[in-house]
Amino acid sequence: MRILPVLAVASLASVFMAAPAVASPPSSGPTATGYGGAVATVDPTATAVGLDVLRRGGNAVDAAVAAAATLGVTEPFSAGIGGGGFFVYYDAKHRRVSTIDGREAGPATMTSTYFIDRADGLPYDFPEARVSGLSVGVPGTLATWESAARSWGTRSLASLLRPAAEVADRGFPVDATFRQQIADNADAFGQFDATSELYLPGGQPPAVGSTQRNPDLADTYRLIARKGTDVLYRGAVARDIVRAVQHPPVSADPIGTWAYPIRPGALTLQDLARYDVRRPAPTRSDFRGLSVYGMSTPSSGGTAVSEALNILEKVNPTDLTQVLHTYLEASALSFADRGRYVGAYTPQKILDKLVSDRWAGQRACQISSSSALPKPVPPGDINARGCTPATVGGPTEQGQSTTNLTVADKWGNVVEYTLTIEQTGGNAVVVPGRGFLLNNELTDFNFTNTQAPAADPNLPGPGKRPRSSMSPTIVLKDGKPFLALGSPGGATIITTVLQILVNRLILGQSLPAAMAAPRASQRNTAGIQAEPAFHTTYGPLLTPLGHSFAADVPELGAATAIELTRGGGFIASSEPVRRGGGAAGVVHPNR
């Protein structure tokens, strides 16, 4: 979390559109209630920018794009114009949920053996694949911003980039999280001069409290504002991206050591020029009278969250122990089906079946109230009836670096947007002279067939988009938004979003309590990954049922959410502690 000085927050007002300066917005915390619109992000600077857009008459899309561009400055190891994401939008005028797939795409020459080392026929180790040109997909974030602004926004993309450019020029205070993310990547970052110059001044991570500036990124934003997004897909920035991918700018005098060769990638100018966002129909399921909308493929989040909720509804647990037990079992079952069936090219009829009540019945019938299923559980047989399982699935990917934002405006429009560069720090290459990190999104493909003897839906392919776990979710009640939420966390995104929904919709917790509650993630593995507080609090209830725990992790996810209340009010919520805490704000704290 970056803490922006009050005077700096106030100065943002002069950046958006050339309007007169206004009073600084109230300081943001993890929860805000009020009216007139709301913003929740992981960063107070980005939240302040989004709120300023809403105050000046912009809508939820305008504010979301401006906040996302700012996160590209203050959360550069999680998101930025070198990455991609998924944008889910509720249009109040037409009462319709739409989506934008801005996921990164592989090169046209990509094959199923892309991540196999020809020298020994074995898949590359993950660090070798990640810190290379091989891992970089065509970035989709900028195209997403342009598409959203043109379709549903009221401001130009150029104006929405200005506040972020100002933040990049002026800088922001380094906090402990920012410094630690650099320290964790120091050896990888140190292999490239442009990355080292930006994030390893004097050969070390910047000190907490120092000012982090990024004038190259400010210039890139202003170049895009002047010349349009084509500069990144067909112009000078595109050429710089391709050069960095095909000829990684390895330092002649690196900082630290790196155990692997840094391999070139295959991305071309033609790959960038051919890129376009997609507009798939959202996934939809019903849960206790609510309509749950999510992201379709290449994300698996929409289908997995819906399938698990449907299973929970079929089982209908009543006490706390059984709710948590069923949540974990439903998660494992949905992850088994996800691994077996969901990828970029999954036929719509299979996606529809996975989110259907009939399929939930076929899976829920395997859950016992008295004992946990042995893990990993096999996927269901998509062509069978009843509880017949198919062949057991394979391992789960573990990518982790993502960010999420939630925005709602006074007209009832809602944006839920998850964006990423995949691993914390992406592929570690800052594009020289441009100020942004490249993604390593192509490592979200499975390197080998994890579903043998069946086909693996997430193997690499020409121009293919890798499967994602991002789960931006909007819940409607009586056709109007009730709740929007999303989270970072790699494969744990699905379970984080699902558990918050379980806490809020089944256990009846308030939204802030549902967000703050300790988390556990069962992704069809022998041991449950859990935060210490979950393990110590609920382990004694769950281990007698046969659940086992893997080593605890400090935290899972870093969610943001907004609940819309009666009378046009908002409850905006972000993490109180995880990832350094988040920032939620409303336009008017009081009527």
Side-chain angles (χ1 to χ4, degrees), residues 240-258:
D240 289 342
I241 290 172
V242 169
R243 186 180 301 112
V245 170
Q246 294 185 357
H247 306 282
V250 180
S251 175
D253 186 21
I255 299 170
T257 59
W258 191 248

Side-chain angles (χ1 to χ4, degrees), residues 76-77 130-131 178 181-182 185-206 212-214 216 244 248-251 254-255 262 421 424-438:
F77 314 123
R130 176 207 164 192
V131 181
F178 191 92
Q181 288 174 330
I182 295 173
N185 279 282
D187 285 336
F189 284 2
Q191 306 310 301
F192 309 100
D193 285 339
T195 314
S196 299
E197 290 167 5
L198 187 56
Y199 296 124
L200 293 169
Q204 298 293 327
Q212 180 71 32
R213 296 183 174 88
N214 193 339
D216 284 347
V250 180
S251 175
I255 299 170
I262 297 174
I421 57 173
T424 302
N427 84 330
V429 176
V430 168
V431 179
R434 301 302 182 185
F436 61 89
L437 282 157
L438 291 173

Side-chain angles (χ1 to χ4, degrees), residues 318-517:
T318 55
D319 64 74
L320 175 63
T321 300
Q322 285 300 310
V323 168
L324 295 176
H325 166 66
T326 308
Y327 154 67
L328 295 168
E329 297 291 86
S331 297
L333 291 165
S334 65
F335 263 87
D337 296 338
R338 164 191 184 271
R340 174 65 183 84
Y341 298 115
V342 181
Y345 304 141
T346 303
Q348 187 62 45
K349 65 179 182 180
I350 292 180
L351 299 178
D352 291 341
K353 185 164 187 177
L354 291 174
V355 301
S356 69
D357 288 335
R358 174 176 290 184
W359 181 257
Q362 291 178 236
R363 304 302 271 147
C365 63
Q366 299 185 51
I367 297 176
S368 165
S369 62
S370 59
S371 61
L373 291 161
K375 308 298 187 305
V377 298
D381 186 338
I382 204 75
N383 296 312
R385 294 177 179 271
C387 291
T388 306
T391 306
V392 71
T396 297
E397 67 270 19
Q398 304 295 329
Q400 60 184 325
S401 178
T402 309
T403 193
N404 190 83
L405 62 89
T406 312
V407 181
D409 64 31
K410 63 183 179 182
W411 299 285
N413 303 303
V414 177
V415 170
E416 187 58 52
Y417 183 27
T418 314
L419 57 161
T420 183
I421 57 173
E422 212 279 320
Q423 193 77 4
T424 302
N427 84 330
V429 176
V430 168
V431 179
R434 301 302 182 185
F436 61 89
L437 282 157
L438 291 173
N439 69 83
N440 66 298
E441 214 64 64
L442 300 186
T443 59
D444 267 356
F445 284 116
N446 293 333
F447 291 11
T448 59
N449 188 347
T450 67
Q451 304 298 314
D456 190 323
N458 192 41
L459 285 174
K464 191 175 180 180
R465 303 182 185 203
R467 182 172 64 205
S468 170
S469 301
M470 289 183 275
S471 306
T473 302
I474 295 178
V475 180
L476 305 187
K477 182 178 182 179
D478 299 325
K480 295 181 179 180
F482 164 65
L483 180 64
L485 73 160
S487 177
T492 70
I493 293 172
I494 292 168
T495 55
T496 294
V497 169
L498 177 61
Q499 190 175 358
I500 293 170
L501 289 170
V502 168
N503 292 344
R504 179 70 188 92
L505 304 180
I506 299 178
L507 296 178
Q509 297 175 0
S510 69
L511 179 60
M515 295 274 287

Side-chain angles (χ1 to χ4, degrees), residues 33-38 409-410 565-570 586-591:
T33 60
Y35 302 88
D409 64 31
K410 63 183 179 182
T565 62
R566 291 181 179 179
F570 302 96
V586 293
V587 173
H588 302 299
N590 302 299
R591 274 199 183 276

Side-chain angles (χ1 to χ4, degrees), residues 6-391:
V6 173
L7 290 176
V9 173
S11 73
L12 292 172
S14 63
V15 178
F16 183 68
M17 296 180 66
V22 296
S24 63
S27 60
S28 55
T31 301
T33 60
Y35 302 88
V39 179
T41 81
V42 297
D43 178 75
T45 310
T47 295
V49 166
L51 287 172
D52 193 58
V53 172
L54 293 179
R55 286 191 180 92
R56 295 176 177 282
N59 68 10
V61 172
D62 302 323
V65 171
T70 306
L71 288 170
V73 179
T74 60
E75 294 283 322
F77 314 123
S78 299
I81 57 174
F86 298 107
F87 193 103
V88 180
Y89 173 60
Y90 175 81
D91 183 332
K93 180 178 181 180
H94 299 98
R95 303 185 70 170
R96 178 187 306 136
V97 177
S98 301
T99 73
I100 299 176
D101 163 18
R103 182 66 158 162
E104 300 88 340
T109 56
M110 185 178 237
T111 68
S112 61
T113 59
Y114 187 78
F115 288 110
I116 304 298
D117 189 344
R118 293 181 182 178
D120 58 14
L122 298 174
Y124 295 121
D125 290 343
F126 179 82
E128 180 175 4
R130 176 207 164 192
V131 181
S132 74
L134 290 170
S135 64
V136 183
V138 180
T141 292
L142 189 60
T144 298
W145 297 349
E146 179 181 49
S147 181
R150 284 186 173 180
S151 297
W152 308 305
T154 66
R155 304 288 190 264
S156 70
L157 178 59
S159 72
L160 299 175
L161 293 175
R162 288 175 194 156
E166 172 70 14
V167 173
D169 259 340
R170 183 183 61 246
F172 56 89
V174 171
D175 69 0
T177 300
F178 191 92
R179 187 184 192 282
Q180 188 60 51
Q181 288 174 330
I182 295 173
D184 291 343
N185 279 282
D187 285 336
F189 284 2
Q191 306 310 301
F192 309 100
D193 285 339
T195 314
S196 299
E197 290 167 5
L198 187 56
Y199 296 124
L200 293 169
Q204 298 293 327
V208 172
S210 63
T211 300
Q212 180 71 32
R213 296 183 174 88
N214 193 339
D216 284 347
L217 181 56
D219 289 344
T220 301
Y221 276 164
R222 292 186 179 111
L223 177 66
I224 295 166
R226 291 196 309 272
K227 295 191 173 183
T229 59
D230 268 3
V231 74
L232 187 138
Y233 291 100
R234 293 176 176 83
V237 179
R239 292 191 290 273
D240 289 342
I241 290 172
V242 169
R243 186 180 301 112
V245 170
Q246 294 185 357
H247 306 282
V250 180
S251 175
D253 186 21
I255 299 170
T257 59
W258 191 248
Y260 302 95
I262 297 174
R263 299 179 181 274
L267 210 66
T268 67
L269 286 170
Q270 289 74 25
D271 293 322
L272 268 73
R274 279 194 292 261
Y275 185 85
D276 201 2
V277 297
R278 298 172 59 250
R279 296 286 191 93
T283 60
R284 180 191 167 176
S285 61
D286 296 319
F287 180 78
R288 295 188 173 184
L290 303 172
S291 298
V292 181
Y293 287 86
M295 193 70 215
S296 188
T297 57
S299 177
S300 61
T303 55
V305 168
S306 286
E307 179 182 346
L309 282 175
N310 289 341
I311 292 171
L312 279 154
E313 189 170 33
K314 287 290 183 182
V315 175
N316 194 29
T318 55
D319 64 74
L320 175 63
T321 300
Q322 285 300 310
V323 168
L324 295 176
H325 166 66
T326 308
Y327 154 67
L328 295 168
E329 297 291 86
S331 297
L333 291 165
S334 65
F335 263 87
D337 296 338
R338 164 191 184 271
R340 174 65 183 84
Y341 298 115
V342 181
Y345 304 141
T346 303
Q348 187 62 45
K349 65 179 182 180
I350 292 180
L351 299 178
D352 291 341
K353 185 164 187 177
L354 291 174
V355 301
S356 69
D357 288 335
R358 174 176 290 184
W359 181 257
Q362 291 178 236
R363 304 302 271 147
C365 63
Q366 299 185 51
I367 297 176
S368 165
S369 62
S370 59
S371 61
L373 291 161
K375 308 298 187 305
V377 298
D381 186 338
I382 204 75
N383 296 312
R385 294 177 179 271
C387 291
T388 306
T391 306

